[in-house]
Amino acid sequence: MPSSEIALPGPLPSPGSGAPLLTSELRLAAGGSLRGSVKVPGDKSISHRALLFGAIAEGETRIDGLLPAEDPLSTAACLRAMGVEVSAIAVDQPVLVRGVGLDGFQEPADILDCGNSGTTMRLMLGLLAGRSGRHFVLTGDASLRRRPMRRVAGPLAEMGATIAGRRGGELAPLAIQGRALHGATIRTPVASAQVKSALLLAALTADGPTTVIEPALSRDHSERMLRAFGADLSVHGPGGTEVTVRPGPGLRGQAVTVPGDISSAAFWLVAAAITPGADLTVQNVGLNPSRTGILEVLERMGARLEVLDRRDVAGEPVGDLRVCHGPLQAFTIGGDLIPRLVDEIPVLAVAACCAEGVSRISGAEELRVKETDRLAVMARQLSAMGAQLEEHADGLTIMGGVPLHGATVNSETDHRVAMSLAVASLVARGDTFLQDPEAAAVSYPGFWVDLARLRA
Ligand code: S3P
């Protein structure tokens, strides 16, 4: 397919900007192949953490490879509003953060807008709850204002935090009255790195040790990076599901190198696995074991996947991933694997449509409270393309080998849905018209340009 058939949208309002979204539509032609190599942008989770931890450290933090997308921009804007100097965020530019220390945030004169970013809002709740005598209000776009926040505000209240919000503290806007916190032992209700990280950040200035116990291991970027910044943090318990922070040491600014985001790489891995003739290498992908569930599932499906040049970059494992097209078998996933691939389930649903047999996803009820209800949205949008799938309370059952056809589909403002549907369009019969494609800018602003280039 000539790349010109991907009509790139012009400047568009971003989902997090609060501006009314104009519905734009992208025509995605089927067919063609994917060849060559691609470098995905920096890991979103690590980018947020590098900005936030740099802000509360003493001295300067230099971040190379920070994701220049809507979500980290929201984090940077909130930090600037509290007096933190963060240099301009642009493609291939190092970002410098001048830390203000553990308790140095100024009280912002206005509300803090977290845009579309759950990570920004949840980690900031933990960071701000202990800032005595200061008042903060966090809000976000329509999607974020629908997402559950009591899972963070509740455990923080056990440490003494005062956080109020709509629906009894469940929904943003959330008002935080900063006060001194005490250490506690907290069992989190869900395996969520956002909840865990919020508590670990609050623990840094509590009056005693705090232990967070998760039901299953969620991504551990905060633990790795907090340690590198000098926090007194230990990981214990079955599978590393218990983390203790002892308050005391201040954090010291660091040089952080952000690896490519495996959640962004996932679109290319599935795209190459399902598209006849494809041979694609995704470079510099973060391979933290708490994130590599997608690779395990693709391997189980029989995908032709190779990890090349495994290395360590600034405390995180990294490698290049080569994927070629080949026949795929259905998969069954659930349990403790889900947190290790939670953001990849929309694109795995697309892979399942192209596999032989019936794929089953269970234990994935968390998808209902992501940027959209991703189980419902993927079921709705893939059905419009002819997929045969059933939606359950906690997952999907997907019939493989049923040909997809082009249709008018909608990202419903969700970045991962937009890119997953683009992957589905590659194997559909006829053109797909994707509405609201600009949602991709939340985590991967260059996605449409990369897609055009890889298909050229
Ligand atoms: C994230 C954790 C995950 C993930 C999100 C980013 C993080 O959310 O879905 O995209 O950076 O900590 P949960 O921790 O709520 O599962």
Side-chain angles (χ1 to χ4, degrees):
M1 187 206 74
S3 58
S4 59
E5 290 196 0
I6 296 175
L8 294 173
L12 294 160
S14 60
S17 67
L21 279 176
L22 307 169
T23 300
S24 60
E25 192 171 89
L26 203 54
R27 179 164 70 90
L28 298 160
S33 195
L34 287 172
R35 301 187 79 83
S37 70
V38 60
K39 201 165 171 245
V40 288
D43 187 279
K44 184 157 80 67
S45 294
I46 297 176
S47 295
H48 285 297
R49 286 158 174 78
L51 290 168
L52 293 167
F53 302 176
I56 57 166
E58 303 283 348
E60 191 171 89
T61 287
R62 176 192 161 113
I63 311 168
D64 283 289
L66 185 112
L67 168 66
E70 295 293 337
D71 267 13
L73 288 175
S74 295
T75 293
C78 291
L79 292 172
R80 290 189 186 114
M82 295 185 291
V84 182
E85 278 177 44
V86 182
S87 67
I89 295 177
V91 181
D92 289 336
Q93 291 292 314
V95 175
L96 303 178
V97 181
R98 187 160 296 285
V100 295
L102 282 178
D103 199 34
F105 287 140
Q106 294 163 14
E107 183 176 74
D110 202 347
I111 57 172
L112 298 169
D113 187 355
C114 304
N116 188 245
S117 175
T119 309
T120 307
M121 183 170 281
R122 294 195 176 119
L123 269 59
M124 294 252 297
L125 282 172
L127 211 48
L128 302 180
R131 309 284 67 82
S132 279
R134 278 152 284 175
H135 175 73
F136 309 88
V137 180
L138 300 181
T139 192
D141 70 3
S143 151
L144 188 53
R145 281 182 277 114
R146 282 193 293 268
R147 297 181 67 185
M149 293 296 149
R150 202 180 287 127
R151 53 179 55 202
V152 182
L156 284 172
E158 289 179 43
M159 299 175 74
T162 303
I163 299 170
R166 295 186 295 133
R167 307 248 177 95
E170 179 67 302
L171 301 178
L174 296 164
I176 305 162
Q177 189 56 53
R179 58 180 81 256
L181 302 179
H182 18 268
T185 295
I186 294 166
R187 285 182 183 276
T188 61
V190 280
S192 157
Q194 295 180 352
V195 175
K196 171 175 65 177
S197 303
L199 297 169
L200 298 178
L201 289 172
L204 292 172
T205 54
D207 65 0
T210 294
T211 297
V212 183
I213 305 171
E214 293 198 278
L217 183 68
S218 64
R219 63 193 67 188
D220 67 354
H221 305 299
S222 293
E223 293 91 308
R224 288 169 187 252
M225 205 189 290
L226 278 174
R227 259 216 213 108
F229 272 76
D232 181 349
L233 179 146
S234 57
V235 178
H236 43 108
T241 48
E242 302 182 11
V243 189
T244 297
V245 168
R246 291 188 163 70
L251 306 187
R252 290 179 305 278
Q254 299 293 314
V256 179
T257 303
V258 183
D261 198 325
I262 192 167
S263 297
S264 298
F267 301 109
W268 302 125
L269 302 181
V270 172
I274 65 175
T275 310
D279 182 349
L280 210 57
T281 300
V282 192
Q283 295 167 335
N284 188 41
V285 181
L287 297 176
N288 179 312
S290 62
R291 300 282 298 280
T292 47
I294 173 79
L295 304 185
E296 289 166 30
V297 176
L298 286 172
E299 269 161 11
R300 271 197 239 157
M301 294 178 81
R304 294 169 61 200
L305 170 71
E306 268 179 287
V307 182
L308 309 169
D309 193 14
R310 272 185 198 271
R311 53 208 185 263
D312 244 55
V313 177
E316 293 276 350
V318 169
D320 301 333
L321 303 172
R322 181 173 177 204
V323 192
C324 301
H325 172 251
L328 297 175
Q329 299 301 317
F331 60 85
T332 297
I333 57 171
D336 290 359
L337 181 60
I338 298 297
R340 296 180 54 234
L341 47 65
V342 65
D343 291 337
E344 289 67 78
I345 291 175
V347 78
L348 274 175
V350 176
C353 292
C354 306
E356 194 188 316
V358 178
S359 292
R360 295 190 168 81
I361 303 168
S362 64
E365 58 277 7
E366 273 296 296
L367 262 72
R368 297 205 180 275
V369 291
K370 295 291 178 191
E371 286 81 332
T372 58
D373 176 344
R374 287 182 175 158
L375 295 178
V377 174
M378 287 309 294
R380 189 157 50 234
Q381 300 300 332
L382 286 176
S383 298
M385 298 180 77
Q388 280 183 20
L389 72 181
E390 266 173 46
E391 183 189 338
H392 313 291
D394 70 339
L396 298 169
T397 300
I398 304 160
M399 203 74 74
V402 178
L404 299 180
H405 55 73
T408 296
V409 290
N410 197 310
S411 74
E412 305 196 29
T413 76
D414 186 322
H415 54 130
R416 299 206 197 279
V417 172
M419 293 183 272
S420 299
L421 294 173
V423 172
S425 78
L426 297 171
V427 291
R429 208 172 355 93
D431 291 351
T432 297
F433 297 89
L434 173 61
Q435 295 178 335
D436 281 352
E438 66 274 11
V442 158
S443 61
Y444 195 162
F447 178 81
W448 303 112
V449 173
D450 282 348
L451 178 60
R453 185 176 59 78
L454 293 169
R455 300 186 82 191

